Amino acid sequence: MAISNFKKKIAVFLSGEGSNLKNLYKFSKTKRSKFTIHLVISNKKNAKGILFSKSKKIKSYSIGKKMSVFEKNSLLLIREENIDIICLAGFMRILSKEFVQKCKIPIINIHPSLLPKYKGLHTHARAIKNKDQFSGCTAHHVTSKLDAGKIILQKKVKILKKDNEITLSKKILKVEHQIYPIALNKIC
């Protein structure tokens, strides 16, 4: 029996720099990757992540700021391109319940906290304020409830007394880059 070389087609949603996109793209070029970045969609016209994806000849779209327009057009693109999985990578908007239900493919996210702790924004500030010993990141399935989907993978980071939001953010981003491609490979 022949082993299939089929790689899952991934769409990445982003709003900014695209560091997780760059990392997923780099991993996708390795032999152990079970996926390929096929489509990148941003809700921001000048997102640096879009410039990166265009430089790599990945189909890339910036779709208006209005969420209803973004979701409608994204769904059309996802179906047109036969996308298997959506990865949220620094996508700073909340997808509607209707979008999640209509999508009918897995949507995953990387969140900068050890879920279920610190859903939403300002995770680093909240962890420091509460004098937590650890923070980290979580790759999880997206559901209609904010940061509440099934956890795929988590990794802890020790919070040092000298840490502030910026230093903790940088440490956690490094860990995000470690676990997100592994989590995506796992669900492929």
Side-chain angles (χ1 to χ4, degrees):
M1 188 160 73
I3 296 172
S4 173
N5 278 343
F6 175 73
K7 288 189 171 199
K8 298 282 185 183
K9 290 166 74 175
I10 306 302
V12 175
F13 285 13
L14 57 80
S15 297
E17 297 291 321
S19 74
N20 269 307
L21 165 66
K22 291 173 188 171
N23 188 60
L24 289 170
Y25 176 81
K26 184 178 169 186
F27 186 89
S28 76
K29 297 300 178 187
T30 66
K31 284 184 180 177
R32 65 185 195 269
S33 171
K34 297 177 183 175
F35 62 87
T36 182
I37 307 296
H38 187 75
L39 181 65
V40 176
I41 305 174
S42 178
N43 64 313
K44 293 198 174 177
K45 197 174 187 176
N46 299 319
K48 289 184 181 174
I50 287 288
L51 298 176
F52 172 81
S53 61
K54 285 182 177 178
S55 77
K56 300 299 180 188
K57 309 281 189 263
I58 301 168
K59 290 181 183 179
S60 307
Y61 299 89
S62 294
I63 300 174
K65 289 184 181 180
K66 191 172 181 187
M67 256 335 252
S68 59
V69 173
F70 177 88
E71 289 183 350
K72 181 182 172 209
N73 290 328
S74 294
L75 268 177
L76 291 172
L77 287 166
I78 286 157
R79 289 179 180 140
E80 196 175 282
E81 297 295 333
N82 295 309
I83 297 299
D84 297 301
I85 301 168
I86 297 172
C87 289
L88 307 182
F91 184 65
M92 302 307 291
R93 299 300 300 264
I94 297 170
L95 295 169
S96 72
K97 184 178 182 177
E98 291 75 27
F99 179 88
V100 174
Q101 288 172 346
K102 285 180 183 176
C103 203
K104 304 215 186 310
I105 60 172
I107 305 171
I108 66 169
N109 185 38
I110 186 82
H111 183 74
S113 79
L114 296 171
L115 291 174
K117 225 175 183 185
Y118 308 127
K119 296 175 181 181
L121 301 173
H122 312 295
T123 58
H124 310 308
R126 289 155 59 196
I128 290 168
K129 182 182 178 196
N130 291 334
K131 298 182 179 4
D132 290 354
Q133 290 186 329
F134 294 96
S135 188
C137 58
T138 306
H140 66 97
H141 288 275
V142 172
T143 64
S144 57
K145 292 186 180 171
L146 180 66
D147 297 328
K150 185 179 174 195
I151 292 170
I152 303 163
L153 205 56
Q154 281 186 321
K155 189 159 184 185
K156 282 184 183 180
V157 169
K158 181 134 178 70
I159 301 176
L160 305 175
K161 285 185 177 164
K162 66 179 182 179
D163 274 327
N164 58 41
E165 285 181 65
I166 294 167
T167 59
L168 184 57
S169 172
K170 286 180 181 176
K171 286 198 297 193
I172 290 174
L173 186 61
K174 283 182 184 174
V175 177
E176 286 181 26
H177 291 170
Q178 291 168 14
I179 74 164
Y180 206 15
I182 295 166
L184 178 52
N185 240 14
K186 193 175 177 181
I187 68 161
C188 286

